[in-house]
Amino acid sequence: MDRGDMGIKGSGGACGVCGGRTYVIERQGDRAHARICACSAECSVCGGRGHLLVQREETFSKKVGTRKYEVLAPCACTLRTKRVARYNEVGMPGVVAHAGFDNFRPAKPEQDRARSVAMHFAHHFDKAGPNKGFVLSGPVGTGKTHLLGATLAHLVLEVGVQARYVEISLLYATIRRGFQEGRSGGEIIGPLSEVEVLAIDELGKGRGSPFEMETLDELIARRYNAHRTTLFATNYSLAYERKNVRTVSGYHATEDTKHAVREAELLRERVGERIYSRLCEMCTFVELPKDTPDRRHARQEMESRTQPPPAGMRASR
């Protein structure tokens, strides 16, 4: 445990803005951005110096015995500043800036289990390692990215872990742009391979081209070989065998069948046996059922029912 795990929350008190955490996470453009709360902008412990004298006790020899001495140590405010800066390098999407374990609302028991797995991982993370990651599988809008955001926020800001977030198709696009700028894929993958915790969202998304498969394989292989912790979210099922897809009759049969086949695709088919085998060793699997409600749809429907119609559309009496 580093010194920052002791007393970082102290100066925040019962602030109504940060809730005593001493920092705030907000949406800034398309990214989640952390800042130190106004309640902790001025440190009452070190007076803004960023360090303080700490008394230590050590036995140097039997003849001399135990002696006490003072050393300069970073104040909690310095560690907090470093963690806030480190969080702003994670790359979390702005839409999950306010994501936490406490505001995750499960509609299914499987969602509650997903939260429990992510929360246990975050609160019991061992900085000495190794730590087993997790894979969250389920339909769109079921809170997978929310849980990734809550997990990384806790790890970086509360534990002091170095972490990064990537959406896999955007990573592919970044590497392609790098090629045009004369950069190699390894220059971009390198830092992602070495970070303590990496969250990969939308695993399995893409065209499945040789370039994409080789990139994904290299990234996961590097992290697997180095025993680094990786978290994943995917829309593809973790089931071992594909369920039979019946042909839909009628005018739209061909398109409907194609959609049904895509829906039934398995993650192991999308990423290949080599990568899938490593995921089985690296992670705990959590699958959300296909009928898990889309929270975005539910929110939109609720807003549609509660908001009054525009003034021009109201019926006159």
Side-chain angles (χ1 to χ4, degrees), residues 224-237:
Y224 172 83
N225 293 333
H227 299 287
R228 301 200 186 280
T229 306
T230 313
L231 314 177
F232 301 90
T234 180
N235 295 333
Y236 295 96
S237 175

Side-chain angles (χ1 to χ4, degrees), residues 98-121:
H98 299 290
F101 296 120
D102 56 345
N103 60 11
F104 182 79
R105 300 289 181 262
K108 292 272 188 178
E110 293 84 356
Q111 284 179 297
D112 195 37
R113 177 175 179 259
R115 177 177 61 180
S116 297
V117 168
M119 189 160 53
H120 184 274
F121 170 86

Side-chain angles (χ1 to χ4, degrees), residues 3-238:
R3 290 183 52 80
D5 295 324
M6 300 182 290
I8 259 189
K9 294 184 180 180
S11 60
C15 174
V17 177
C18 69
R21 295 180 304 174
T22 72
Y23 59 84
V24 178
I25 305 176
E26 301 168 322
R27 181 170 185 168
Q28 194 173 92
D30 63 345
R31 294 288 184 224
H33 181 83
R35 62 174 175 83
I36 295 173
C37 184
C39 72
S40 302
E42 296 183 7
C43 182
S44 60
V45 178
C46 69
R49 292 185 298 273
H51 59 270
L52 64 165
L53 286 173
V54 177
Q55 190 174 79
R56 291 183 179 174
E57 187 174 296
E58 188 174 346
T59 301
F60 294 94
S61 68
K62 290 183 179 180
K63 184 177 180 179
V64 176
T66 301
R67 291 289 185 270
K68 293 181 179 179
Y69 61 98
E70 291 184 331
V71 296
L72 276 177
C75 180
C77 68
T78 298
L79 297 171
R80 177 174 56 241
T81 300
K82 289 182 178 179
R83 291 183 180 186
V84 165
R86 181 173 284 181
Y87 178 83
N88 292 333
E89 296 174 352
V90 171
M92 284 304 306
V95 293
V96 292
H98 299 290
F101 296 120
D102 56 345
N103 60 11
F104 182 79
R105 300 289 181 262
K108 292 272 188 178
E110 293 84 356
Q111 284 179 297
D112 195 37
R113 177 175 179 259
R115 177 177 61 180
S116 297
V117 168
M119 189 160 53
H120 184 274
F121 170 86
H123 287 274
H124 294 82
F125 185 85
D126 183 1
K127 293 189 74 173
N131 298 273
K132 191 171 186 177
F134 57 78
V135 180
L136 303 179
S137 165
V140 298
T142 52
K144 301 184 299 298
T145 305
H146 179 117
L147 291 176
L148 289 182
T151 300
L152 295 189
H154 181 88
L155 289 179
V156 176
L157 293 165
E158 300 292 340
V159 186
V161 175
Q162 183 187 26
R164 286 286 303 275
Y165 167 93
V166 293
E167 200 269 89
I168 196 63
S169 62
L170 296 181
L171 175 61
Y172 297 149
T174 299
I175 295 175
R176 289 191 181 98
R177 286 196 301 271
F179 291 155
Q180 298 173 358
E181 298 167 358
R183 302 171 62 194
S184 68
E187 292 180 62
I188 299 170
I189 290 179
L192 298 178
S193 304
E194 298 170 3
V195 71
E196 286 182 83
V197 177
L198 175 66
I200 299 179
D201 206 351
E202 301 287 358
L203 181 64
K205 185 177 180 180
R207 294 173 294 180
S209 66
F211 159 74
E212 293 178 350
M213 297 303 291
E214 289 169 8
T215 299
L216 183 62
D217 183 73
E218 180 182 352
L219 177 56
I220 293 180
R222 285 193 185 190
R223 297 192 61 80
Y224 172 83
N225 293 333
H227 299 287
R228 301 200 186 280
T229 306
T230 313
L231 314 177
F232 301 90
T234 180
N235 295 333
Y236 295 96
S237 175
L238 302 172

